[in-house]
Amino acid sequence: MGKKDELQFLIDYENVREAGLDGAEYLYNTDVITIFYSAVCEKISQKSMDFILHSGCSFQAVRLKRTGKNALDFYIVSMVGALFGAGFTGKVVVVSKDKGYAAMKDYWMSHGISSDRILLKATVKDGILASNENSIRRKLISAGISQISIEKEYAKYQERKRLKKKIETLFANTEYEGEVAKIFELTEAEKKPKDLYLGSLKRFGRTDGTKIYRFLKQAKAA
């Protein structure tokens, strides 16, 4: 039942609410997502719903029929039991901050289910990252949350601003004054002299491209 790389997201919506759906924009059409909800948490943002629907994943919503302490937890635990009992071979991601699910994980681990097949995470995004799948989406998420230096990024911004100003000054009162934005874009795209020359010809034609390249070459030498 299920493919080996399939991810089943079981959302404890009463516990995590909208925050738990962070990362829904990264869902695949091979994923399965089930939202367990109750009368106290019936609303979802249009944005999250659109992400789910447009992903093409299998989606179902399970509403709690009877109120009671930890009632939704029992629903989710029962679902996990049904999945593994039916021979599910993929991974289950329980999206909740409730630490009690650790006991469920311990049970299944004692019955031969490996630790990496039951993931307990607070968001869909965290579940995808923890899945260890080799996919573009994991790389996209990792790139988006990687830490970078504010000082270094600000220095890059300042340098970019300086170069733009230099080009504006260089071409001021010339026939290419109106092309400054395109010229600056060219200098950002092409760093090597040969590439800059060929890029100038491609974007501005042989005559104008050659003139613009000479301007840039002289400015660099100055």
Side-chain angles (χ1 to χ4, degrees):
M1 179 182 178
K3 297 179 181 179
K4 189 175 182 180
D5 58 349
E6 182 179 294
L7 291 181
Q8 284 261 1
F9 294 91
L10 309 183
I11 315 295
D12 184 354
Y13 200 62
E14 199 171 64
N15 179 272
V16 295
R17 306 295 175 98
E18 188 74 27
L21 296 175
D22 179 34
E25 64 269 35
Y26 297 105
L27 289 169
Y28 276 176
N29 59 6
T30 54
D31 296 325
V32 179
I33 184 168
T34 304
I35 297 180
F36 294 85
Y37 71 104
S38 66
V40 299
C41 55
E42 295 180 310
K43 303 294 183 180
I44 184 173
S45 72
Q46 184 66 59
K47 181 179 179 180
S48 292
M49 198 69 253
D50 285 345
F51 283 145
I52 292 171
L53 297 178
H54 293 164
S55 72
C57 71
S58 296
F59 167 64
Q60 62 177 326
V62 177
R63 182 187 173 96
L64 181 67
K65 294 185 180 300
R66 297 184 182 182
T67 58
K69 186 178 180 181
N70 300 322
L72 273 185
D73 301 14
F74 293 131
Y75 272 37
I76 292 173
V77 169
S78 297
M79 178 76 164
V80 173
L83 285 168
F84 287 128
F88 177 65
T89 58
K91 295 180 180 180
V92 172
V93 182
V94 176
V95 178
S96 178
K97 295 179 181 179
D98 191 335
K99 304 301 182 183
Y101 288 110
M104 174 200 69
K105 181 170 182 174
D106 291 341
Y107 172 83
W108 283 108
M109 286 175 62
S110 70
H111 284 71
I113 301 297
S114 61
S115 175
D116 66 341
R117 291 187 58 207
I118 302 179
L119 307 172
L120 309 178
K121 297 296 174 181
T123 67
V124 169
K125 181 169 66 178
D126 290 339
I128 293 172
L129 288 172
S131 69
N132 289 324
E133 62 179 11
N134 184 22
S135 66
I136 294 176
R137 65 175 171 177
R138 285 190 73 249
K139 294 175 183 177
L140 288 173
I141 295 172
S142 296
I145 64 176
S146 61
Q147 299 293 300
I148 57 177
S149 168
I150 294 175
E151 185 175 355
K152 288 181 180 180
E153 292 305 309
Y154 183 61
K156 289 179 184 178
Y157 165 78
Q158 292 285 69
E159 177 62 12
R160 187 172 183 271
K161 189 176 179 180
R162 185 190 70 79
L163 290 174
K164 188 175 183 180
K165 182 65 177 177
K166 186 176 181 180
I167 289 174
E168 288 174 349
T169 302
L170 179 66
F171 289 96
N173 301 317
T174 72
E175 59 188 306
Y176 304 111
E177 187 173 17
E179 302 291 343
V180 164
K182 292 181 180 179
I183 296 171
F184 178 63
E185 184 181 295
L186 169 68
T187 61
E188 288 207 302
E190 311 295 354
K191 301 299 183 183
K192 297 180 180 179
K194 181 179 179 181
D195 294 335
L196 184 61
Y197 174 66
L198 294 176
S200 296
L201 298 185
K202 184 177 180 180
R203 297 189 187 210
F204 302 102
R206 180 169 294 276
T207 301
D208 290 333
T210 301
K211 289 181 181 179
I212 289 172
Y213 173 72
R214 286 174 180 167
F215 267 112
L216 293 172
K217 188 178 180 180
Q218 290 171 6
K220 189 174 182 180

